[in-house]
Amino acid sequence: MTDRLSGSATEQTSSQTILESILDSALHEMNRERSGLLLSGLSAGLDIGFGPLMMGVVLTLSPQGFGDLTTELLLASVYSIGFMFVILGRSELFTEHTTLAVIPVLDGQASLGQLGRLWGLVYVGNLVGGLVFTLLTILLMPELGVISPTAFETIAMKLVSHDLPWLFVGGLFAGWLMGLLAWLITAAQETTSRLILVWVVTGTIGLLHLPHSIAGNVEVLFGLFVSPAISLADYVGFLALATVGNAFGGAIFVALLKYGHVVRGAN
């Protein structure tokens, strides 16, 4: 019985340490200058584009396409590349902050205004970075010779062909997973462990084709620019519902629940 209690206390202490680390990190980001946050968000929006770009390459070179297990697993793996660049490179990603930046607000150390400022700057930076990456890739695409415009259309259609409720619910699950990843990354001590966590979690998002507002921004923009089948209304509808779903998923299923269980356990 004593061993069980000791183990429980150790686990709770570890959770408190994670929470304290998240609070320190989130408060630091909230107090950064606007230009720093915007540039960091821009960098993340650029870097994350390499995932959708590699998906286009794999889909172009694969004779099977979507539905083939090997191709699906490979697509999910390369989808993770952009997230690895962003998270291990410590750039600011909106879907991480749907959990991280909410916790100081729950703890009473930050206001909703500070949360909105952080979310807004990072989100705008992410979207602009994704747009710039998409335009640069389209300029390079004919000379690369390994990407077909049809591949980008196929990838985009996987996200915009669903009805609106699915986009919200799918976005909620993607935000939930990204919030969980943010918590786990804080808990992990080694770069290798963090790399594996990013690959597993974001690979799951890719395998399930869940709508991630920032990576999906690049995926759907590719389709918008290269295919008449993707309209501006498709893009706006996807982005709006994916963003709201991501925010709810990270804030409610991770930030609120994990903060609650750690604080109540401490008491």
Side-chain angles (χ1 to χ4, degrees):
M1 182 66 175
T2 303
D3 291 341
R4 287 181 58 190
L5 289 173
S6 176
S8 176
T10 302
E11 180 181 351
Q12 187 58 49
T13 301
S14 178
S15 296
Q16 290 175 14
T17 302
I18 296 170
L19 181 61
E20 290 169 3
S21 178
I22 288 175
L23 281 167
D24 289 342
S25 176
L27 287 169
H28 170 74
E29 296 304 325
M30 283 183 166
N31 292 322
R32 285 180 68 179
E33 293 184 5
R34 291 183 180 181
S35 58
L37 284 173
L38 194 59
L39 287 172
S40 185
L42 179 69
S43 175
L46 287 165
D47 294 345
I48 206 167
F50 283 101
L53 174 63
M54 289 305 299
M55 289 177 69
V57 173
V58 169
L59 203 56
T60 299
L61 299 178
S62 172
Q64 301 299 327
F66 283 120
D68 175 68
L69 179 60
T70 301
T71 303
E72 291 278 4
L73 291 174
L74 187 54
L75 284 168
S77 294
V78 298
Y79 177 79
S80 303
I81 290 175
F83 290 95
M84 292 177 185
F85 292 162
V86 171
I87 295 173
L88 296 183
R90 302 299 177 90
S91 298
E92 303 302 325
L93 193 63
F94 169 73
T95 47
E96 278 192 288
H97 282 298
T98 56
T99 291
L100 299 181
V102 170
I103 289 180
V105 177
L106 295 174
D107 201 55
Q109 297 190 46
S111 67
L112 288 174
Q114 289 175 293
L115 174 63
R117 173 183 176 273
L118 177 62
W119 274 6
L121 290 170
V122 171
Y123 185 70
V124 169
N126 288 169
L127 294 189
V128 173
L131 174 61
V132 172
F133 183 91
T134 302
L135 293 174
L136 289 173
T137 301
I138 289 173
L139 290 174
L140 287 172
M141 196 163 56
E143 298 300 325
L144 292 176
V146 291
I147 311 173
S148 166
T150 305
F152 285 135
E153 177 185 333
T154 304
I155 292 169
M157 289 300 295
K158 274 286 184 181
L159 294 175
V160 302
S161 61
H162 299 283
D163 55 24
L164 298 184
W166 184 92
L167 282 174
F168 173 75
V169 175
L172 188 147
F173 273 89
W176 184 351
L177 284 166
M178 286 303 299
L180 183 61
L181 176 61
W183 185 275
L184 294 174
I185 286 291
T186 305
Q189 300 296 319
E190 300 176 353
T191 301
T192 302
S193 301
R194 293 180 174 182
L195 194 65
I196 292 172
L197 285 170
V198 175
W199 176 67
V200 170
V201 175
T202 61
T204 300
I205 295 173
L207 188 61
L208 295 175
H209 303 294
L210 296 175
H212 184 280
S213 57
I214 307 306
N217 172 54
V218 179
E219 294 174 72
V220 180
L221 276 175
F222 274 137
L224 178 64
F225 286 128
V226 304
S227 170
I230 311 296
S231 69
L232 182 60
D234 291 328
Y235 170 72
V236 172
F238 162 81
L239 190 62
L241 288 169
T243 299
V244 174
N246 291 169
F248 271 90
I252 295 174
F253 288 99
V254 182
L256 189 60
L257 291 179
K258 289 197 176 294
Y259 175 80
H261 93 72
V262 173
V263 172
R264 288 177 181 271
N267 292 335

mmCIF file with all atom_site columns, all heavy atoms in Angstrom, residues 2 15 38 44 92 104 106 109-111 126 128-129 147 155 160-161 174 181 187 205 241 248 255:
data_model
loop_
_atom_site.group_PDB
_atom_site.id
_atom_site.type_symbol
_atom_site.label_atom_id
_atom_site.label_alt_id
_atom_site.label_comp_id
_atom_site.label_asym_id
_atom_site.label_entity_id
_atom_site.label_seq_id
_atom_site.pdbx_PDB_ins_code
_atom_site.Cartn_x
_atom_site.Cartn_y
_atom_site.Cartn_z
_atom_site.occupancy
_atom_site.B_iso_or_equiv
_atom_site.pdbx_formal_charge
_atom_site.auth_seq_id
_atom_site.auth_comp_id
_atom_site.auth_asym_id
_atom_site.auth_atom_id
_atom_site.pdbx_PDB_model_num
ATOM 1   N N   . THR A 1 2   ? 1.955   1.197  0.813   1.00 0.00 ? 2   THR A N   1
ATOM 2   C CA  . THR A 1 2   ? 2.875   2.332  0.889   1.00 0.00 ? 2   THR A CA  1
ATOM 3   C C   . THR A 1 2   ? 3.537   2.589  -0.458  1.00 0.00 ? 2   THR A C   1
ATOM 4   O O   . THR A 1 2   ? 3.703   3.731  -0.878  1.00 0.00 ? 2   THR A O   1
ATOM 5   C CB  . THR A 1 2   ? 3.956   2.071  1.950   1.00 0.00 ? 2   THR A CB  1
ATOM 6   O OG1 . THR A 1 2   ? 3.319   1.822  3.202   1.00 0.00 ? 2   THR A OG1 1
ATOM 7   C CG2 . THR A 1 2   ? 4.887   3.269  2.070   1.00 0.00 ? 2   THR A CG2 1
ATOM 8   N N   . SER A 1 15  ? 3.799   15.461 -12.724 1.00 0.00 ? 15  SER A N   1
ATOM 9   C CA  . SER A 1 15  ? 2.775   16.240 -13.415 1.00 0.00 ? 15  SER A CA  1
ATOM 10  C C   . SER A 1 15  ? 2.858   17.711 -13.025 1.00 0.00 ? 15  SER A C   1
ATOM 11  O O   . SER A 1 15  ? 2.701   18.603 -13.862 1.00 0.00 ? 15  SER A O   1
ATOM 12  C CB  . SER A 1 15  ? 1.382   15.690 -13.083 1.00 0.00 ? 15  SER A CB  1
ATOM 13  O OG  . SER A 1 15  ? 1.230   14.367 -13.556 1.00 0.00 ? 15  SER A OG  1
ATOM 14  N N   . LEU A 1 38  ? 5.531   37.270 -34.190 1.00 0.00 ? 38  LEU A N   1
ATOM 15  C CA  . LEU A 1 38  ? 5.101   37.224 -35.588 1.00 0.00 ? 38  LEU A CA  1
ATOM 16  C C   . LEU A 1 38  ? 6.142   36.530 -36.459 1.00 0.00 ? 38  LEU A C   1
ATOM 17  O O   . LEU A 1 38  ? 5.810   35.693 -37.310 1.00 0.00 ? 38  LEU A O   1
ATOM 18  C CB  . LEU A 1 38  ? 4.839   38.642 -36.098 1.00 0.00 ? 38  LEU A CB  1
ATOM 19  C CG  . LEU A 1 38  ? 4.073   38.785 -37.411 1.00 0.00 ? 38  LEU A CG  1
ATOM 20  C CD1 . LEU A 1 38  ? 2.700   38.135 -37.310 1.00 0.00 ? 38  LEU A CD1 1
ATOM 21  C CD2 . LEU A 1 38  ? 3.941   40.252 -37.779 1.00 0.00 ? 38  LEU A CD2 1
ATOM 22  N N   . ALA A 1 44  ? 7.468   29.159 -38.498 1.00 0.00 ? 44  ALA A N   1
ATOM 23  C CA  . ALA A 1 44  ? 6.756   27.889 -38.360 1.00 0.00 ? 44  ALA A CA  1
ATOM 24  C C   . ALA A 1 44  ? 5.870   27.615 -39.569 1.00 0.00 ? 44  ALA A C   1
ATOM 25  O O   . ALA A 1 44  ? 5.793   26.478 -40.062 1.00 0.00 ? 44  ALA A O   1
ATOM 26  C CB  . ALA A 1 44  ? 5.909   27.906 -37.089 1.00 0.00 ? 44  ALA A CB  1
ATOM 27  N N   . GLU A 1 92  ? 6.955   29.005 -33.225 1.00 0.00 ? 92  GLU A N   1
ATOM 28  C CA  . GLU A 1 92  ? 5.638   29.062 -32.592 1.00 0.00 ? 92  GLU A CA  1
ATOM 29  C C   . GLU A 1 92  ? 4.557   28.546 -33.526 1.00 0.00 ? 92  GLU A C   1
ATOM 30  O O   . GLU A 1 92  ? 4.396   29.046 -34.647 1.00 0.00 ? 92  GLU A O   1
ATOM 31  C CB  . GLU A 1 92  ? 5.310   30.503 -32.186 1.00 0.00 ? 92  GLU A CB  1
ATOM 32  C CG  . GLU A 1 92  ? 6.331   31.137 -31.268 1.00 0.00 ? 92  GLU A CG  1
ATOM 33  C CD  . GLU A 1 92  ? 6.532   30.351 -29.986 1.00 0.00 ? 92  GLU A CD  1
ATOM 34  O OE1 . GLU A 1 92  ? 5.568   29.783 -29.477 1.00 0.00 ? 92  GLU A OE1 1
ATOM 35  O OE2 . GLU A 1 92  ? 7.676   30.317 -29.499 1.00 0.00 ? 92  GLU A OE2 1
ATOM 36  N N   . PRO A 1 104 ? -1.806  29.331 -18.491 1.00 0.00 ? 104 PRO A N   1
ATOM 37  C CA  . PRO A 1 104 ? -1.620  30.508 -17.618 1.00 0.00 ? 104 PRO A CA  1
ATOM 38  C C   . PRO A 1 104 ? -2.917  31.266 -17.352 1.00 0.00 ? 104 PRO A C   1
ATOM 39  O O   . PRO A 1 104 ? -3.073  31.862 -16.280 1.00 0.00 ? 104 PRO A O   1
ATOM 40  C CB  . PRO A 1 104 ? -0.627  31.366 -18.406 1.00 0.00 ? 104 PRO A CB  1
ATOM 41  C CG  . PRO A 1 104 ? 0.082   30.436 -19.289 1.00 0.00 ? 104 PRO A CG  1
ATOM 42  C CD  . PRO A 1 104 ? -0.915  29.386 -19.656 1.00 0.00 ? 104 PRO A CD  1
ATOM 43  N N   . LEU A 1 106 ? -5.929  29.825 -17.136 1.00 0.00 ? 106 LEU A N   1
ATOM 44  C CA  . LEU A 1 106 ? -6.623  29.005 -16.144 1.00 0.00 ? 106 LEU A CA  1
ATOM 45  C C   . LEU A 1 106 ? -6.012  29.196 -14.753 1.00 0.00 ? 106 LEU A C   1
ATOM 46  O O   . LEU A 1 106 ? -6.715  29.139 -13.742 1.00 0.00 ? 106 LEU A O   1
ATOM 47  C CB  . LEU A 1 106 ? -6.557  27.523 -16.531 1.00 0.00 ? 106 LEU A CB  1
ATOM 48  C CG  . LEU A 1 106 ? -7.288  27.108 -17.811 1.00 0.00 ? 106 LEU A CG  1
ATOM 49  C CD1 . LEU A 1 106 ? -7.000  25.643 -18.120 1.00 0.00 ? 106 LEU A CD1 1
ATOM 50  C CD2 . LEU A 1 106 ? -8.791  27.331 -17.675 1.00 0.00 ? 106 LEU A CD2 1
ATOM 51  N N   . GLN A 1 109 ? -2.611  33.665 -14.104 1.00 0.00 ? 109 GLN A N   1
ATOM 52  C CA  . GLN A 1 109 ? -1.382  34.435 -14.299 1.00 0.00 ? 109 GLN A CA  1
ATOM 53  C C   . GLN A 1 109 ? -1.372  35.226 -15.602 1.00 0.00 ? 109 GLN A C   1
ATOM 54  O O   . GLN A 1 109 ? -0.416  35.958 -15.881 1.00 0.00 ? 109 GLN A O   1
ATOM 55  C CB  . GLN A 1 109 ? -0.166  33.500 -14.257 1.00 0.00 ? 109 GLN A CB  1
ATOM 56  C CG  . GLN A 1 109 ? 0.024   32.794 -12.929 1.00 0.00 ? 109 GLN A CG  1
ATOM 57  C CD  . GLN A 1 109 ? 1.363   32.079 -12.858 1.00 0.00 ? 109 GLN A CD  1
ATOM 58  O OE1 . GLN A 1 109 ? 2.405   32.627 -13.209 1.00 0.00 ? 109 GLN A OE1 1
ATOM 59  N NE2 . GLN A 1 109 ? 1.349   30.838 -12.390 1.00 0.00 ? 109 GLN A NE2 1
ATOM 60  N N   . ALA A 1 110 ? -2.387  35.044 -16.428 1.00 0.00 ? 110 ALA A N   1
ATOM 61  C CA  . ALA A 1 110 ? -2.490  35.780 -17.689 1.00 0.00 ? 110 ALA A CA  1
ATOM 62  C C   . ALA A 1 110 ? -3.952  36.063 -17.973 1.00 0.00 ? 110 ALA A C   1
ATOM 63  O O   . ALA A 1 110 ? -4.848  35.370 -17.471 1.00 0.00 ? 110 ALA A O   1
ATOM 64  C CB  . ALA A 1 110 ? -1.863  34.977 -18.831 1.00 0.00 ? 110 ALA A CB  1
ATOM 65  N N   . SER A 1 111 ? -4.200  37.077 -18.775 1.00 0.00 ? 111 SER A N   1
ATOM 66  C CA  . SER A 1 111 ? -5.567  37.473 -19.097 1.00 0.00 ? 111 SER A CA  1
ATOM 67  C C   . SER A 1 111 ? -5.990  36.921 -20.455 1.00 0.00 ? 111 SER A C   1
ATOM 68  O O   . SER A 1 111 ? -5.155  36.465 -21.252 1.00 0.00 ? 111 SER A O   1
ATOM 69  C CB  . SER A 1 111 ? -5.669  38.995 -19.119 1.00 0.00 ? 111 SER A CB  1
ATOM 70  O OG  . SER A 1 111 ? -4.909  39.524 -20.200 1.00 0.00 ? 111 SER A OG  1
ATOM 71  N N   . ASN A 1 126 ? 1.722   32.078 -38.915 1.00 0.00 ? 126 ASN A N   1
ATOM 72  C CA  . ASN A 1 126 ? 1.629   30.730 -39.489 1.00 0.00 ? 126 ASN A CA  1
ATOM 73  C C   . ASN A 1 126 ? 0.984   30.740 -40.868 1.00 0.00 ? 126 ASN A C   1
ATOM 74  O O   . ASN A 1 126 ? 1.466   30.092 -41.808 1.00 0.00 ? 126 ASN A O   1
ATOM 75  C CB  . ASN A 1 126 ? 0.811   29.814 -38.578 1.00 0.00 ? 126 ASN A CB  1
ATOM 76  C CG  . ASN A 1 126 ? 1.512   29.416 -37.292 1.00 0.00 ? 126 ASN A CG  1
ATOM 77  O OD1 . ASN A 1 126 ? 0.903   28.860 -36.388 1.00 0.00 ? 126 ASN A OD1 1
ATOM 78  N ND2 . ASN A 1 126 ? 2.812   29.700 -37.185 1.00 0.00 ? 126 ASN A ND2 1
ATOM 79  N N   . VAL A 1 128 ? 0.607   33.312 -43.040 1.00 0.00 ? 128 VAL A N   1
ATOM 80  C CA  . VAL A 1 128 ? 1.416   34.027 -44.025 1.00 0.00 ? 128 VAL A CA  1
ATOM 81  C C   . VAL A 1 128 ? 2.615   33.174 -44.441 1.00 0.00 ? 128 VAL A C   1
ATOM 82  O O   . VAL A 1 128 ? 2.956   33.088 -45.632 1.00 0.00 ? 128 VAL A O   1
ATOM 83  C CB  . VAL A 1 128 ? 1.886   35.383 -43.470 1.00 0.00 ? 128 VAL A CB  1
ATOM 84  C CG1 . VAL A 1 128 ? 2.872   36.052 -44.429 1.00 0.00 ? 128 VAL A CG1 1
ATOM 85  C CG2 . VAL A 1 128 ? 0.688   36.304 -43.241 1.00 0.00 ? 128 VAL A CG2 1
ATOM 86  N N   . GLY A 1 129 ? 3.243   32.516 -43.479 1.00 0.00 ? 129 GLY A N   1
ATOM 87  C CA  . GLY A 1 129 ? 4.358   31.631 -43.799 1.00 0.00 ? 129 GLY A CA  1
ATOM 88  C C   . GLY A 1 129 ? 3.935   30.506 -44.716 1.00 0.00 ? 129 GLY A C   1
ATOM 89  O O   . GLY A 1 129 ? 4.643   30.160 -45.672 1.00 0.00 ? 129 GLY A O   1
ATOM 90  N N   . ILE A 1 147 ? 6.893   16.293 -58.804 1.00 0.00 ? 147 ILE A N   1
ATOM 91  C CA  . ILE A 1 147 ? 5.591   16.582 -58.208 1.00 0.00 ? 147 ILE A CA  1
ATOM 92  C C   . ILE A 1 147 ? 4.577   16.866 -59.315 1.00 0.00 ? 147 ILE A C   1
ATOM 93  O O   . ILE A 1 147 ? 4.828   17.695 -60.193 1.00 0.00 ? 147 ILE A O   1
ATOM 94  C CB  . ILE A 1 147 ? 5.642   17.795 -57.261 1.00 0.00 ? 147 ILE A CB  1
ATOM 95  C CG1 . ILE A 1 147 ? 6.793   17.676 -56.280 1.00 0.00 ? 147 ILE A CG1 1
ATOM 96  C CG2 . ILE A 1 147 ? 4.324   17.927 -56.498 1.00 0.00 ? 147 ILE A CG2 1
ATOM 97  C CD1 . ILE A 1 147 ? 7.006   18.905 -55.438 1.00 0.00 ? 147 ILE A CD1 1
ATOM 98  N N   . ILE A 1 155 ? -4.616  15.659 -52.526 1.00 0.00 ? 155 ILE A N   1
ATOM 99  C CA  . ILE A 1 155 ? -4.379  15.900 -51.099 1.00 0.00 ? 155 ILE A CA  1
ATOM 100 C C   . ILE A 1 155 ? -5.387  16.914 -50.562 1.00 0.00 ? 155 ILE A C   1
ATOM 101 O O   . ILE A 1 155 ? -5.961  16.737 -49.485 1.00 0.00 ? 155 ILE A O   1
ATOM 102 C CB  . ILE A 1 155 ? -2.938  16.386 -50.867 1.00 0.00 ? 155 ILE A CB  1
ATOM 103 C CG1 . ILE A 1 155 ? -1.943  15.260 -51.160 1.00 0.00 ? 155 ILE A CG1 1
ATOM 104 C CG2 . ILE A 1 155 ? -2.757  16.886 -49.435 1.00 0.00 ? 155 ILE A CG2 1
ATOM 105 C CD1 . ILE A 1 155 ? -0.498  15.713 -51.220 1.00 0.00 ? 155 ILE A CD1 1
ATOM 106 N N   . VAL A 1 160 ? -11.189 19.030 -48.090 1.00 0.00 ? 160 VAL A N   1
ATOM 107 C CA  . VAL A 1 160 ? -12.324 19.927 -48.354 1.00 0.00 ? 160 VAL A CA  1
ATOM 108 C C   . VAL A 1 160 ? -13.572 19.206 -48.844 1.00 0.00 ? 160 VAL A C   1
ATOM 109 O O   . VAL A 1 160 ? -14.620 19.830 -48.982 1.00 0.00 ? 160 VAL A O   1
ATOM 110 C CB  . VAL A 1 160 ? -11.937 21.016 -49.387 1.00 0.00 ? 160 VAL A CB  1
ATOM 111 C CG1 . VAL A 1 160 ? -10.751 21.823 -48.894 1.00 0.00 ? 160 VAL A CG1 1
ATOM 112 C CG2 . VAL A 1 160 ? -11.648 20.409 -50.754 1.00 0.00 ? 160 VAL A CG2 1
ATOM 113 N N   . SER A 1 161 ? -13.474 17.911 -49.109 1.00 0.00 ? 161 SER A N   1
ATOM 114 C CA  . SER A 1 161 ? -14.625 17.196 -49.655 1.00 0.00 ? 161 SER A CA  1
ATOM 115 C C   . SER A 1 161 ? -15.614 16.752 -48.583 1.00 0.00 ? 161 SER A C   1
ATOM 116 O O   . SER A 1 161 ? -16.663 16.198 -48.903 1.00 0.00 ? 161 SER A O   1
ATOM 117 C CB  . SER A 1 161 ? -14.152 15.975 -50.452 1.00 0.00 ? 161 SER A CB  1
ATOM 118 O OG  . SER A 1 161 ? -13.432 15.077 -49.619 1.00 0.00 ? 161 SER A OG  1
ATOM 119 N N   . ALA A 1 174 ? -7.876  16.749 -34.057 1.00 0.00 ? 174 ALA A N   1
ATOM 120 C CA  . ALA A 1 174 ? -6.511  17.171 -34.394 1.00 0.00 ? 174 ALA A CA  1
ATOM 121 C C   . ALA A 1 174 ? -5.958  18.108 -33.322 1.00 0.00 ? 174 ALA A C   1
ATOM 122 O O   . ALA A 1 174 ? -4.795  17.994 -32.915 1.00 0.00 ? 174 ALA A O   1
ATOM 123 C CB  . ALA A 1 174 ? -6.496  17.851 -35.762 1.00 0.00 ? 174 ALA A CB  1
ATOM 124 N N   . LEU A 1 181 ? 0.375   16.425 -27.635 1.00 0.00 ? 181 LEU A N   1
ATOM 125 C CA  . LEU A 1 181 ? 1.780   16.440 -28.035 1.00 0.00 ? 181 LEU A CA  1
ATOM 126 C C   . LEU A 1 181 ? 2.549   17.530 -27.297 1.00 0.00 ? 181 LEU A C   1
ATOM 127 O O   . LEU A 1 181 ? 3.670   17.305 -26.838 1.00 0.00 ? 181 LEU A O   1
ATOM 128 C CB  . LEU A 1 181 ? 1.884   16.653 -29.549 1.00 0.00 ? 181 LEU A CB  1
ATOM 129 C CG  . LEU A 1 181 ? 3.293   16.782 -30.117 1.00 0.00 ? 181 LEU A CG  1
ATOM 130 C CD1 . LEU A 1 181 ? 4.108   15.525 -29.847 1.00 0.00 ? 181 LEU A CD1 1
ATOM 131 C CD2 . LEU A 1 181 ? 3.235   17.074 -31.616 1.00 0.00 ? 181 LEU A CD2 1
ATOM 132 N N   . ALA A 1 187 ? 7.176   17.010 -21.186 1.00 0.00 ? 187 ALA A N   1
ATOM 133 C CA  . ALA A 1 187 ? 7.570   15.946 -20.263 1.00 0.00 ? 187 ALA A CA  1
ATOM 134 C C   . ALA A 1 187 ? 8.835   15.217 -20.717 1.00 0.00 ? 187 ALA A C   1
ATOM 135 O O   . ALA A 1 187 ? 9.617   14.738 -19.893 1.00 0.00 ? 187 ALA A O   1
ATOM 136 C CB  . ALA A 1 187 ? 6.426   14.944 -20.102 1.00 0.00 ? 187 ALA A CB  1
ATOM 137 N N   . ILE A 1 205 ? -2.307  12.062 -36.992 1.00 0.00 ? 205 ILE A N   1
ATOM 138 C CA  . ILE A 1 205 ? -3.146  13.080 -37.633 1.00 0.00 ? 205 ILE A CA  1
ATOM 139 C C   . ILE A 1 205 ? -3.130  12.895 -39.149 1.00 0.00 ? 205 ILE A C   1
ATOM 140 O O   . ILE A 1 205 ? -4.173  12.954 -39.818 1.00 0.00 ? 205 ILE A O   1
ATOM 141 C CB  . ILE A 1 205 ? -2.669  14.493 -37.262 1.00 0.00 ? 205 ILE A CB  1
ATOM 142 C CG1 . ILE A 1 205 ? -2.864  14.741 -35.763 1.00 0.00 ? 205 ILE A CG1 1
ATOM 143 C CG2 . ILE A 1 205 ? -3.419  15.562 -38.068 1.00 0.00 ? 205 ILE A CG2 1
ATOM 144 C CD1 . ILE A 1 205 ? -2.269  16.053 -35.275 1.00 0.00 ? 205 ILE A CD1 1
ATOM 145 N N   . LEU A 1 241 ? -13.377 26.272 -39.912 1.00 0.00 ? 241 LEU A N   1
ATOM 146 C CA  . LEU A 1 241 ? -13.846 25.187 -39.044 1.00 0.00 ? 241 LEU A CA  1
ATOM 147 C C   . LEU A 1 241 ? -12.684 24.389 -38.445 1.00 0.00 ? 241 LEU A C   1
ATOM 148 O O   . LEU A 1 241 ? -12.758 23.953 -37.299 1.00 0.00 ? 241 LEU A O   1
ATOM 149 C CB  . LEU A 1 241 ? -14.778 24.264 -39.825 1.00 0.00 ? 241 LEU A CB  1
ATOM 150 C CG  . LEU A 1 241 ? -16.143 24.888 -40.117 1.00 0.00 ? 241 LEU A CG  1
ATOM 151 C CD1 . LEU A 1 241 ? -16.927 24.050 -41.112 1.00 0.00 ? 241 LEU A CD1 1
ATOM 152 C CD2 . LEU A 1 241 ? -16.945 25.046 -38.832 1.00 0.00 ? 241 LEU A CD2 1
ATOM 153 N N   . PHE A 1 248 ? -10.744 24.417 -29.797 1.00 0.00 ? 248 PHE A N   1
ATOM 154 C CA  . PHE A 1 248 ? -11.564 23.743 -28.793 1.00 0.00 ? 248 PHE A CA  1
ATOM 155 C C   . PHE A 1 248 ? -10.904 22.447 -28.325 1.00 0.00 ? 248 PHE A C   1
ATOM 156 O O   . PHE A 1 248 ? -10.893 22.147 -27.124 1.00 0.00 ? 248 PHE A O   1
ATOM 157 C CB  . PHE A 1 248 ? -12.958 23.437 -29.355 1.00 0.00 ? 248 PHE A CB  1
ATOM 158 C CG  . PHE A 1 248 ? -13.947 24.533 -29.138 1.00 0.00 ? 248 PHE A CG  1
ATOM 159 C CD1 . PHE A 1 248 ? -14.106 25.541 -30.080 1.00 0.00 ? 248 PHE A CD1 1
ATOM 160 C CD2 . PHE A 1 248 ? -14.729 24.570 -27.998 1.00 0.00 ? 248 PHE A CD2 1
ATOM 161 C CE1 . PHE A 1 248 ? -15.010 26.568 -29.887 1.00 0.00 ? 248 PHE A CE1 1
ATOM 162 C CE2 . PHE A 1 248 ? -15.636 25.589 -27.784 1.00 0.00 ? 248 PHE A CE2 1
ATOM 163 C CZ  . PHE A 1 248 ? -15.783 26.597 -28.735 1.00 0.00 ? 248 PHE A CZ  1
ATOM 164 N N   . ALA A 1 255 ? -5.792  21.215 -22.120 1.00 0.00 ? 255 ALA A N   1
ATOM 165 C CA  . ALA A 1 255 ? -5.463  22.267 -21.146 1.00 0.00 ? 255 ALA A CA  1
ATOM 166 C C   . ALA A 1 255 ? -6.367  22.208 -19.933 1.00 0.00 ? 255 ALA A C   1
ATOM 167 O O   . ALA A 1 255 ? -5.899  22.147 -18.789 1.00 0.00 ? 255 ALA A O   1
ATOM 168 C CB  . ALA A 1 255 ? -5.561  23.637 -21.822 1.00 0.00 ? 255 ALA A CB  1
#
